Amino acid sequence: MIVPVEEPERTPKASRRLLWVVVAAAALVLAAVATTAVVLLNQVAERPVPAALPRDTAPVPLGERELCGLRLAMFIDADEDMVAAARTLQDDQKARRVLTETKAEAYERFKKLFADRPELLELTTPDTLPAVVHLVPVAGTDVPAWADELRQRFPKAKKVDVLDPARIAAQLTTTPSPCPPSGER
């Protein structure tokens, strides 16, 4: 007598493929979740603080330097008062650089800037321009608050301006060249 042998049930090929597709999709989803978690954790983690630039606050003439970073300009009527203010500011812990510009130096720079405007040059003399103390702040300084403090400390200053090239550049139609970390070119 022939006894029928029971054959094990076979899973159709289509169900096996579906199982592999589901497993592969689950693996991809897990990989995506892990990658997203790593990216988010990297954004939350503390970023390394850039090395602080050295302080060099002995007052020096601005000369041919071009300041391009965030800075303060303190305008003072007399050269002697400007020099006295610059000497005082070299001890200010918020100052990274102290640069000076006498009335005569400001006039020379003015003549170069407005060489194509002779009518303006005729109306201007060295006495009409103020002497200036240019201050480059230490990183992390609240520059507007420092400007307010300087207005109180130096009543002889006609004006203390916060010069923010990033704000100015945002209004330009062309992009200026990048400013190095030192704040001057």
Side-chain angles (χ1 to χ4, degrees):
M1 146 163 161
I2 299 181
V3 177
V5 179
E6 284 187 32
E7 288 187 31
E9 269 186 46
R10 291 190 179 189
T11 309
K13 286 186 180 181
S15 342
R16 283 188 193 162
R17 285 187 190 142
L18 180 62
L19 179 64
W20 281 109
V21 169
V22 169
V23 168
L28 288 174
V29 167
L30 285 174
V33 168
T35 303
T36 303
V38 168
V39 168
L40 290 175
L41 288 175
N42 281 338
Q43 288 178 352
V44 172
E46 267 187 49
R47 302 213 185 280
V49 177
L53 294 167
R55 289 183 70 235
D56 181 11
T57 58
V60 295
L62 179 64
E64 296 297 316
R65 290 176 184 85
E66 179 189 345
L67 298 177
C68 57
L70 181 64
R71 64 192 180 281
L72 290 173
M74 190 162 62
F75 302 96
I76 302 174
D77 276 331
D79 286 346
E80 304 80 37
D81 294 334
M82 179 271 300
V83 169
R87 284 192 184 126
T88 301
L89 288 163
Q90 77 182 24
D91 296 327
D92 192 318
Q93 294 303 305
K94 294 176 186 120
R96 192 177 64 73
R97 299 270 289 142
V98 178
L99 301 133
T100 61
E101 188 173 41
T102 64
K103 293 166 91 55
E105 292 165 341
Y107 180 65
E108 290 305 312
R109 189 166 55 93
F110 183 87
K111 288 190 321 189
K112 289 177 186 173
L113 284 171
F114 296 101
D116 60 341
R117 307 266 318 266
E119 71 282 358
L120 201 55
L121 294 176
E122 287 177 22
L123 298 172
T124 308
T125 65
D127 273 347
T128 58
L129 296 174
V132 186
V133 178
H134 299 273
L135 299 163
V136 178
V138 170
T141 299
D142 181 348
V143 178
W146 189 29
D148 290 339
E149 175 190 324
L150 294 177
R151 289 180 191 105
Q152 298 298 315
R153 281 178 52 196
F154 297 95
K156 290 187 178 184
K158 287 173 51 175
K159 190 175 186 182
V160 179
D161 274 348
V162 175
L163 304 174
D164 185 357
R167 190 177 66 225
I168 295 166
Q171 298 171 357
L172 298 175
T173 55
T174 60
T175 304
S177 58
C179 185
S182 67
E184 51 185 279
R185 292 186 189 132

